[in-house]
């Protein structure tokens, strides 16, 4: 059976089995369940065919380890990649139902904080599309990234209980469960010439895998994401028999706690024991799984690095290295040199942040208590690194800066650089920043290990599934098969001077703005105006991303119009989406500030000219709605702070023009589109460094700029009745991310943007050029580079 009939019969059958009901009587959540179940079955089958094909050819496989995979929804995307969308929607309509409402049933799999997790998710799509065998490993958090609730602009966090709707995509594989051990003591002895390690008095936890399948475009290959859930390894009968029931139960719930919740911090480690347990839980179970698979295929670990590549997504899964060392040394009896050599060739690492406070360090005392054997192995790596560095002629001071274990702490990034063959940045600019700042010493010691691969996005999700209107346009003016041969999108460029085509593109954008406006309202519930300029800043809230600088700019516009109602300011809609880490107070204050500005705008006489919309609970799904509607993409981090960004790429692909600094991947976006299609402002990272060196005083800038001074004064006197002196103090005091220094240039470029937006043809041409030049930022290119240069596949 084929086409819509196939879907009709599958959904009918599934509803009959699960709920004894007919499709016509089923509610939307049941229709969603039936659709997901059907698709999961198809994917499981496709996965096993594709895995068998790769194995029979003895192909090398990549294992991508990450504490985060921000998958979002699956139904629409999977249907799209498999080419089933039309038939599926036809079947749903034949039941008298609306496919959009079926899609809307699905919760986001929000197993990540932001870009790092979303990148991992895009990688699985890209790897399956280019036909490389890939497995992701992560944790099956019971609660993903919190749901953000805004009450009068104050963020509160609600638990994200995603599994009831999300488990439809998960296949339990209990037969591959693994025991993970914590605590206890290590006893060493020599027996028969062999070094014996005995681990005693440990606590054990069971890791049970749940698999999620991710199809590539056209569905021939499927990646697998294996998510581990923690269970207690059974009631402790010894405690139970002694009548210590509460103690027996406590161990049970301590085990489950490991996979209960995603840490909501982004760029800020909190050093808690539970987080360390989560990390070890992930790597111990995943390494055991990889070893089991490899032994089943080859019967030895000698050739592990030839047949597998393991990638460490930021330092969070670094313990995978000492964990595999433990197996090679203690269980296989290999020498240190041989084991370390296997690890060196097998592992590679990507760094995703250069903020010094975000680099992971663990307290030795806690670490040793929780993971005694892994700790011992890390100390041996440290000892050998010091010897290597001494041989290379580094001084004691330099060695202590580069050491792995120092000042009672373990530095995970240093272990990665030393123990793996490849340390990567996520954009060209990021690599330069790494080499000049946090990794400067290690770069001098091991320059050949450093490289960068610029991030990418799954265009199938962010263009084809999310924006059918633009997809149709791209197909019409570039090539029908651009999804497979994405370079063909460059063909769009030849229409850059065709007024009719540009006008058509303008209409597509307007349509998407209308759709967005219909679904969203401003801060006070008023309708948005699709003809106004949609100015979008959507990303995690962090001072380095400078949402507060954007806020200062809007306050300035408010001041300007109040002083002169005829001021030259066109209608604008400021759209923000951002979650703050729950413990990050300043970030929460900035959200409140933005919300208060929106309130003040909506209550003033300007409410038809300037509107502010703060999207609650910004997520993969809300961003799929938002990106297609954007005119301007605000990428305004202080140069040298944003490693890459991928939101900038999604917005570019959607025809938004980047207004940004020379930071992260913006640098490459600018190179692709050219100065005339990019709104550049601000200091570059050399200027930032020079200014810091000279001694930065924000007051020097504030005193010279009346607009900025007035905006700060207004914060002190109250926005919508609330005093924001606390935030004004931060800007006038340290202004760590130099908003004051870049403010003037930011205002200038905003004025230029308004002028360009007035001329519709010019603007549409800029949009077209951004779309046409976006293919280099597709994840297929990114993963291909990883395969060629890093994983040697
Ligand atoms: C342990 C606390 C913690 C949690 C998350 C520290 C650091 C992180 C991440 C590495 C932060 C992150 O998501 N970085 C982002 O990674 C993206 C993907 O490469 C880049 O596009 C972003 O620029 C970078 O901020």
């Amino acid at each position: 059976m084929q086409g819509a009939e196939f879907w009709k019969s599958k959904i009918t059958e599934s509803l009959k089995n699960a709920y004894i009901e007919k499709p016509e009587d089923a509610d939307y959540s049941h229709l969603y369940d039936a659709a997901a179940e059907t698709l999961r079955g198809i994917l499981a089958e496709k996965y096993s065919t594709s895995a068998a094909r790769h194995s029979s050819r003895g192909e090398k496989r990549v294992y991508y380890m990450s504490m985060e995979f921000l998958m979002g929804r699956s139904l629409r995307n999977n249907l799209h990649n498999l080419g089933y969308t039309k038939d599926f929607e036809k079947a749903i309509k034949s039941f008298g139902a609306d496919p959009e409402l079926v899609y809307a049933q699905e919760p986001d799999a929000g197993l990540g904080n932001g870009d790092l997790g979303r990148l991992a998710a895009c990688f699985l799509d890209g790897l399956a599309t280019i036909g490389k065998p890939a497995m992701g490993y992560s944790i099956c958090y019971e609660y993903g990234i919190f749901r953000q609730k805004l009450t009068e602009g104050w963020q509160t966090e609600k638990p994200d209980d995603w599994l009831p709707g999300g488990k439809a995509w998960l296949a339990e594989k209990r037969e591959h469960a693994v025991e993970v051990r914590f605590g206890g003591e290590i006893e060493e002895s020599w027996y028969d010439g062999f070094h014996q390690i005995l681990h005693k008095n440990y606590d054990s936890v069971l890791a049970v895998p749940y698999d999620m399948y991710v199809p590539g475009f056209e569905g021939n290959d499927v990646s697998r994401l294996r998510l581990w859930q923690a269970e207690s390894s059974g009631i402790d009968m010894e405690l139970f028999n002694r009548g210590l029931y509460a103690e027996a139960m406590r161990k049970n719930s301590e085990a489950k706690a490991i996979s209960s919740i995603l840490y909501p911090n982004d760029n800020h480690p909190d050093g808690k024991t539970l987080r360390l347990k989560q990390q070890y839980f992930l790597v111990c179970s995943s390494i055991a799984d990889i070893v089991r698979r490899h032994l089943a295929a080859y019967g030895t670990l000698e050739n592990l690095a030839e047949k597998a590549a393991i990638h460490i997504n930021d330092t969070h899964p670094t313990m995978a290295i000492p964990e595999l060392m433990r197996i090679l040394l203690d269980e296989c009896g290999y020498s240190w040199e041989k084991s370390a050599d296997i690890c060196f060739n097998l592992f590679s690492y990507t760094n995703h942040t250069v903020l010094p406070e975000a680099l992971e360090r663990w307290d030795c005392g806690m670490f040793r208590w929780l993971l005694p054997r892994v700790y011992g192995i890390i100390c041996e790596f440290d000892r050998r690194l010091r010897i290597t560095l001494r041989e290379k002629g580094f001084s004691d001071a330099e060695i202590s800066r580069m050491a792995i274990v120092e000042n009672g702490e373990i530095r995970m990034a240093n272990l990665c650089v030393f123990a793996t063959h490849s340390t990567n940045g996520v954009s060209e600019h990021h690599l330069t920043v790494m080499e000049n700042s946090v990794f400067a010493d290690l770069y001098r010691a091991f320059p050949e290990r450093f490289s960068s691969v610029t991030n990418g996005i799954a265009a199938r999700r962010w263009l084809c599934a999310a924006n059918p209107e633009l997809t149709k346009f791209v197909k019409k003016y570039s090539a029908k098969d651009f999804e497979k041969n994405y370079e063909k999108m460059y063909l769009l460029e030849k229409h850059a001077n065709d007024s009719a085509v540009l006008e058509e593109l303008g209409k597509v954008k307007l349509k998407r703005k209308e759709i967005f406006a219909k679904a969203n309202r401003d801060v006070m519930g008023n309708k948005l105006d699709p003809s106004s300029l949609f100015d979008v800043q959507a990303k995690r809230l962090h001072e380095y991303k400078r949402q507060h600088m954007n806020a200062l700019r809007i306050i300035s516009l408010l001041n300007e119009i109040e002083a002169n109602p005829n001021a030259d300011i066109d209608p604008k809609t400021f759209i923000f989406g951002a979650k703050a880490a729950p413990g990050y107070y300043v970030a929460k204050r900035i959200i409140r500030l933005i919300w208060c500005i929106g309130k003040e705008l909506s209550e003033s006489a300007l409410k038809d000219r300037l509107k502010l919309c703060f999207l609650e609970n910004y997520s993969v799904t809300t961003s799929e709605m938002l990106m297609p509607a954007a005119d301007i993409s605000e990428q305004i981090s202080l140069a040298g702070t944003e490693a890459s960004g991928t939101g900038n790429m999604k917005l570019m692909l959607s025809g938004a023009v980047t207004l940004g600094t020379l930071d992260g991947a913006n640098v490459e976006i600018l190179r692709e589109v050219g100065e005339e299609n990019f709104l550049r402002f601000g200091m570059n990272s050399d200027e930032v460094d020079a200014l810091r060196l000279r001694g930065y005083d924000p007051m020097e800038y504030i005193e010279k700029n009346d607009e900025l001074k007035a905006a700060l004064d207004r914060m002190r006197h109250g926005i919508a009745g609330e005093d924001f002196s606390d935030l004004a103090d931060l800007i006038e005091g340290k202004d760590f991310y130099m908003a004051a220094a870049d403010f003037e240039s930011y205002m200038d470029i905003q004025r230029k943007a308004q002028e360009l937006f007035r001329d519709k043809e010019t603007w549409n041409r800029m949009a077209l050029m951004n779309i046409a030049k976006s293919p280099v930022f597709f994840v297929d290119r990114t993963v291909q580079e990883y395969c060629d240069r890093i994983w040697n596949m």
Side-chain angles (χ1 to χ4, degrees):
M1 210 183 310
Q2 287 246 305
E5 291 307 314
F6 167 83
W7 284 98
K8 275 202 233 169
S9 100
K10 283 291 188 188
I11 290 172
T12 307
E13 189 187 317
S14 163
L15 288 169
K16 193 168 135 209
N17 293 339
Y19 305 106
I20 329 178
E21 68 186 357
K22 293 203 182 86
E24 290 76 9
D25 306 327
D27 69 20
Y28 276 103
S29 74
H30 290 181
L31 285 173
Y32 157 73
D33 278 343
E37 192 201 82
T38 307
L39 213 43
R40 196 187 71 209
I42 296 173
L43 287 168
E45 222 165 272
K46 280 186 180 286
Y47 172 75
S48 70
T49 320
S50 113
R53 190 173 56 242
H54 293 303
S55 308
S56 71
R57 297 187 196 137
E59 282 174 46
K60 190 170 184 178
R61 180 178 294 269
V62 60
Y63 298 99
Y64 197 84
M65 282 194 197
S66 177
M67 287 289 281
E68 308 188 8
F69 274 87
L70 191 50
M71 303 301 286
R73 286 179 176 160
S74 292
L75 181 56
R76 189 197 299 268
N77 212 248
N78 289 351
L79 287 168
H80 173 81
N81 278 10
L82 296 172
Y84 289 140
T85 310
K86 261 200 191 128
D87 294 335
F88 171 79
E89 295 190 351
K90 208 162 146 194
I92 293 294
K93 285 181 190 152
S94 79
F95 302 142
D98 175 357
E100 284 303 320
L101 297 181
V102 179
Y103 297 139
Q105 295 301 311
E106 183 175 357
D108 272 35
L111 310 182
N113 275 286
D115 251 15
L116 162 115
R118 184 54 231 172
L119 183 74
C122 284
F123 269 32
L124 293 181
D125 173 305
L127 284 161
T129 296
I130 67 167
K132 296 289 181 189
M135 255 180 94
Y137 281 109
S138 194
I139 293 178
C140 189
Y141 302 104
E142 195 179 340
Y143 298 95
I145 184 69
F146 63 84
R147 279 191 299 113
Q148 179 190 52
K149 193 96 198 88
L150 290 177
T151 314
E152 298 274 293
W154 278 115
Q155 170 181 300
T156 50
E157 300 84 26
K158 298 269 170 283
D160 167 50
D161 190 11
W162 72 288
L163 276 170
K167 68 172 179 294
W169 299 103
L170 301 177
E172 185 184 303
K173 294 287 162 66
R174 192 162 284 271
E175 65 277 21
H176 293 152
V178 173
E179 185 198 34
V180 181
R181 299 173 175 184
F182 294 103
E185 299 104 44
I186 299 297
E187 246 177 45
E188 299 185 48
S189 59
W190 286 90
Y191 180 79
D192 218 7
F194 281 102
H195 189 201
Q196 309 274 326
I197 296 283
L198 187 65
H199 192 178
K200 294 191 344 191
N201 300 327
Y202 53 81
D203 283 325
S204 70
V205 170
L206 198 65
V208 181
Y210 291 80
D211 289 349
M212 194 175 196
Y213 302 101
V214 182
F217 184 59
E218 289 185 341
N220 289 325
D221 281 293
V222 176
S223 304
R224 174 159 81 170
L225 173 59
R226 180 153 274 194
L227 299 170
W228 299 99
Q229 198 167 68
E231 289 183 10
S232 88
S233 52
I235 299 286
D236 187 327
M237 286 314 283
E238 202 226 337
L239 289 174
F240 194 80
N241 291 338
R242 279 159 56 202
L244 299 169
Y245 309 124
E247 181 64 8
M249 293 324 279
R250 188 180 59 78
K251 289 210 164 166
N252 198 348
S253 61
E254 268 180 21
K256 287 196 174 139
I258 295 178
S259 60
S260 75
I261 186 158
L262 167 83
Y263 271 82
N265 290 345
D266 180 79
N267 274 305
H268 192 86
D270 60 11
K272 297 263 166 49
T273 319
L274 182 59
R275 169 77 177 183
L276 189 60
K277 275 191 180 175
Q278 289 187 332
Q279 295 185 349
Y280 184 67
F281 175 75
L282 165 65
V283 303
C284 173
S285 50
S286 309
I287 290 290
D289 202 51
I290 294 168
V291 165
R292 175 189 57 77
R293 290 170 57 95
H294 190 83
L295 286 175
Y298 301 99
T300 171
L301 294 181
E302 304 256 344
N303 64 344
L304 184 58
E306 281 151 49
K307 295 296 177 187
I310 303 181
H311 198 76
I312 299 178
N313 197 27
D314 216 277
T315 54
H316 321 149
T318 302
M319 281 180 282
I321 305 165
E323 173 61 13
L324 181 62
M325 287 295 287
R326 184 186 70 74
I327 293 174
L328 299 173
L329 294 165
D330 303 354
E331 292 174 17
C332 302
Y334 292 177
S335 68
W336 178 278
E337 287 72 18
K338 180 170 170 175
S339 306
D341 195 49
I342 292 176
C343 287
F344 183 80
N345 292 315
L346 181 66
F347 285 103
S348 51
Y349 149 67
T350 292
N351 167 276
H352 296 266
T353 176
V354 287
L355 301 187
E357 70 272 24
L359 294 184
E360 275 194 308
R361 297 155 190 274
W362 288 105
D363 176 74
C364 288
M366 188 226 302
F367 201 108
R368 174 193 225 152
W369 166 78
L370 193 67
L371 302 163
R373 179 63 180 136
V374 172
Y375 178 75
I377 293 171
I378 291 178
C379 290
E380 180 60 16
F381 269 119
D382 178 60
R383 194 181 69 83
R384 288 171 185 254
L385 168 61
R386 288 170 189 267
I387 294 171
T388 309
L389 294 173
R390 195 150 300 128
E391 281 166 8
K392 286 181 184 260
F394 287 98
S395 70
D396 284 350
E398 287 166 324
I399 293 174
S400 64
R401 287 206 301 269
M402 285 183 261
I404 297 166
V405 184
E406 179 80 16
N407 290 330
E409 285 182 327
I410 306 173
R411 302 161 176 171
M412 304 308 259
N414 298 22
L415 174 55
C416 284
V417 176
F418 181 53
T420 76
H421 67 280
S422 175
T423 292
N424 298 281
V426 289
S427 69
E428 291 169 16
H429 181 252
H430 177 211
L431 179 62
T432 317
V433 176
M434 281 168 76
E435 290 167 0
N436 293 326
S437 60
V438 280
F439 289 90
D441 294 310
L442 285 162
Y443 177 66
R444 277 195 299 137
F446 307 104
E448 69 291 347
R449 295 187 189 176
F450 285 77
S451 69
S452 77
V453 180
T454 302
N455 283 169
I457 56 172
R460 291 162 288 279
R461 176 180 288 265
W462 297 101
L463 174 61
C464 305
N467 195 348
E469 294 80 2
L470 185 58
T471 306
K472 209 167 136 199
F473 173 89
V474 173
K475 278 195 178 151
K476 185 166 164 196
Y477 294 108
S478 69
K480 274 212 155 47
D481 62 342
F482 82 89
E483 275 182 88
K484 251 304 230 219
N485 304 298
Y486 51 80
E487 334 69 59
K488 290 195 181 164
M489 257 176 96
Y490 291 125
L491 293 171
L492 276 179
E493 190 179 349
K494 68 172 192 274
H495 301 283
N497 292 313
D498 183 331
S499 308
V501 175
L502 295 176
E503 203 185 317
E504 198 176 325
L505 178 60
K507 284 191 184 139
V508 169
K509 178 61 80 179
L510 186 64
K511 176 83 209 292
R512 292 304 315 198
K513 288 163 80 174
E514 283 163 3
I515 294 173
F516 182 84
K518 209 170 144 208
N520 293 280
R521 300 180 160 256
D522 76 1
V523 173
M524 301 314 284
N526 302 312
K527 229 183 145 244
L528 304 178
D529 169 13
S531 69
S532 66
L533 188 163
F534 277 21
D535 177 302
V536 173
Q537 188 172 19
K539 46 186 79 245
R540 280 297 287 248
L541 210 132
H542 203 292
E543 285 159 276
Y544 85 79
K545 296 179 188 280
R546 300 199 291 194
Q547 281 97 345
H548 58 290
M549 188 169 79
N550 194 348
L552 279 171
R553 176 245 331 190
I554 304 170
I555 297 172
S556 293
L557 291 181
L558 196 81
N559 282 337
E560 195 179 336
I561 302 192
E562 277 180 3
N564 169 17
N566 299 320
D568 186 25
I569 295 173
D570 295 339
K572 290 185 181 60
T573 303
F574 310 105
I575 304 171
F576 289 88
K579 287 181 182 175
Y584 188 176
Y585 181 71
V586 173
K588 287 188 163 177
R589 283 292 285 160
I590 294 172
I591 293 180
R592 168 89 173 152
L593 168 66
I594 293 167
W595 188 87
C596 284
I597 296 171
K599 181 160 190 246
E600 189 147 323
L601 286 176
S602 71
E603 287 167 357
S604 78
L606 322 165
K607 68 167 183 282
D608 295 326
R609 249 158 108 191
L610 302 181
K611 287 190 191 198
L612 190 149
C613 164
F614 200 109
L615 265 183
E616 198 173 48
N617 197 37
Y618 181 62
S619 61
V620 173
T621 293
T622 52
S623 90
E624 285 165 7
M625 273 286 265
L626 174 60
M627 302 292 168
D631 292 310
I632 284 185
S633 158
E634 298 270 347
Q635 306 300 338
I636 60 177
S637 54
L638 175 68
T641 61
E642 188 71 271
S644 163
T646 56
N648 47 2
M649 301 169 185
K650 292 163 198 165
L651 285 158
M652 174 195 193
L653 167 70
S654 309
V657 178
T658 306
L659 186 151
T661 48
L662 285 183
D663 202 17
N666 297 353
V667 176
E668 287 157 75
I669 293 180
L670 170 61
R671 189 171 68 214
E672 288 299 311
V673 301
E675 292 277 356
E676 66 283 15
N677 298 305
F678 189 103
L679 300 160
R680 176 162 75 91
F681 78 98
M683 295 178 283
N684 64 29
S685 17
D686 291 339
E687 289 163 340
V688 170
D689 291 344
L691 182 53
R692 267 214 213 294
L693 216 60
R694 212 167 64 224
Y696 172 59
D697 176 8
M699 289 314 289
E700 276 177 31
Y701 295 85
I702 295 166
E703 262 144 26
K704 276 190 278 186
N705 188 321
D706 291 339
E707 250 180 325
L708 178 55
K709 209 188 306 169
L712 287 163
D713 279 348
R714 190 160 183 148
M715 280 170 64
R716 292 187 183 285
H717 289 118
I719 308 273
E722 172 133 344
D723 181 342
F724 285 98
S725 297
D726 54 338
L727 294 182
D729 284 345
L730 287 178
I731 299 163
E732 290 176 3
K734 288 244 158 32
D735 188 22
F736 196 77
Y737 296 104
M738 300 181 166
D742 272 345
F743 187 76
E744 189 181 328
S745 138
Y746 184 49
M747 291 303 285
D748 289 345
I749 200 70
Q750 291 286 1
R751 284 186 268 268
K752 180 165 172 211
Q754 163 173 301
E755 208 176 289
L756 288 163
F757 190 72
R758 275 184 190 165
D759 176 356
K760 286 290 163 277
E761 184 159 315
T762 303
W763 190 266
N764 291 336
R765 180 174 304 113
M766 294 170 77
L768 182 108
M769 288 303 290
N770 272 275
I771 301 166
K773 299 292 190 176
S774 62
V776 270
F777 301 110
F778 289 3
V779 74
D780 305 26
R781 187 271 311 149
T782 311
V783 291
Q784 189 66 56
E785 275 189 50
Y786 268 100
C787 288
D788 296 343
R789 291 178 15 219
I790 317 292
W791 302 330
N792 302 315
M793 290 171 73

